[in-house]
Amino acid sequence: MQKKICLLPGDGIGPEILAQGASVLAAVAQKFGHMFEFDEALIGGAAVDATGSPLPEETVEKCRKADAVFLAAVGGPQWDGLKPEQRPEKGLLGIRKALGLFANLRPALLLPELAGACLLRPDVAARGLDLIVVRELTGDIYFGEPRGIETRNGRRTGYNTMMYDEEEIRRIAKVAFETARQRRRKVCSVEKSNVLETSRLWKEVVLETHKDYADVELSHMYVDNAAMQLVRDPSQFDVILTGNIFGDILSDEASVLTGSLGMLPSASLGASGPGLFEPIHGSAPDIAGRDKANPLATILSGAMLLRLGFNLTEEAECIENAVRRALRDEFRTEDIMEPGMIKVGCEAMGRKVIERL
Ligand code: NAD
């Protein structure tokens, strides 16, 4: 298979971790006889410094021409004083918009090797934590109009509009059902249909869409209960399907349960064109340039790129197994270090994974 991958290293630890992510992809390509062509482009603070914009047009062009976009992280204190439209984070929102990415997929997986870092009680963690949140990314109360702050009856009043049309709901529901088919075939749709009309429509359209996915088990849960169940017994979930604002909160909750920020990958997908694959953590300026960063979230994002972007399941599993083997062989970066383990830096961890592919 011949594919183009656009690399966006960004800021802080970004270049260090993406170098490892890309090396792992290159090694997998060699092992399985694929041709991956890598191109690199500027985003975030690095792009601001070089061009004045956090998302230069050239970057958008390179991403559009690629089959997948592999991003590390953006941001840092040196750009915090900039005007909102120039801030590094604008580059991230901009590229998601430019590529029409409406689905955000975030797995939360507790590896037995890292069970010690899990925030749950051991008996709850022992039941397992292996779920994925499929969050709608371009609609909902974050984008609905009208919105604003104005004076009404002599009082300052803020308002936003929660809104979804049926097509927006249908396309994200399909992503969730398709994702479930590659896993344990269970979707839990999370909304607040006891209170919100938007959620009532959400539930209706999810039920309609489900007719084409009879092999997938569908359940429904109110968001307040879902927040509770995630902590009480996350083993009940396989795929959680939800809207933008509920997904924003639940995906953070689900991922933090595992206790290891440096381990968590994500994918954002559109209707067509390249998907964007990135770790969920930020640019960690506090440890940048010191070979201390954990590259595993980025390496695992590379596995998602192969599975969801290129349909290369075996290759993706090869990476995931190599990561687990490196952990089983007791290699740890500082953020996941435990007594008795072998401490390694970012580059060495990448090498340990490649040796185990
Ligand atoms: P952060 O995720 O960068 O760091 C939080 C803490 O986790 C830090 O102590 C950091 O050292 C540690 N950490 C994060 N990733 C790690 C890794 N791979 N290995 C080892 N340790 C790791 O969040 P923050 O400190 O709130 O933000 C720093 C900058 O990143 C800010 O400018 C913020 O806007 C930006 N940010 C970017 C993204 C993104 O690019 N998607 C996401 C979140 C934050």
Side-chain angles (χ1 to χ4, degrees), residues 172-186:
I172 190 76
K174 281 184 187 167
V175 173
F177 289 126
E178 295 288 345
T179 305
R181 277 187 170 161
Q182 294 180 18
R183 299 173 46 97
R184 302 194 302 280
R185 293 179 184 255
K186 276 168 61 172

Side-chain angles (χ1 to χ4, degrees), residues 221-256:
M221 198 179 276
Y222 299 141
V223 62
D224 42 346
N225 188 24
M228 212 156 54
Q229 295 299 332
L230 265 176
V231 182
R232 209 184 62 82
D233 181 16
S235 72
Q236 67 188 286
F237 297 110
D238 178 20
V239 175
I240 293 178
L241 159 65
T242 192
N244 204 346
I245 187 166
F246 300 153
D248 190 357
I249 299 160
L250 292 182
S251 59
D252 264 14
E253 185 191 355
S255 51
V256 80

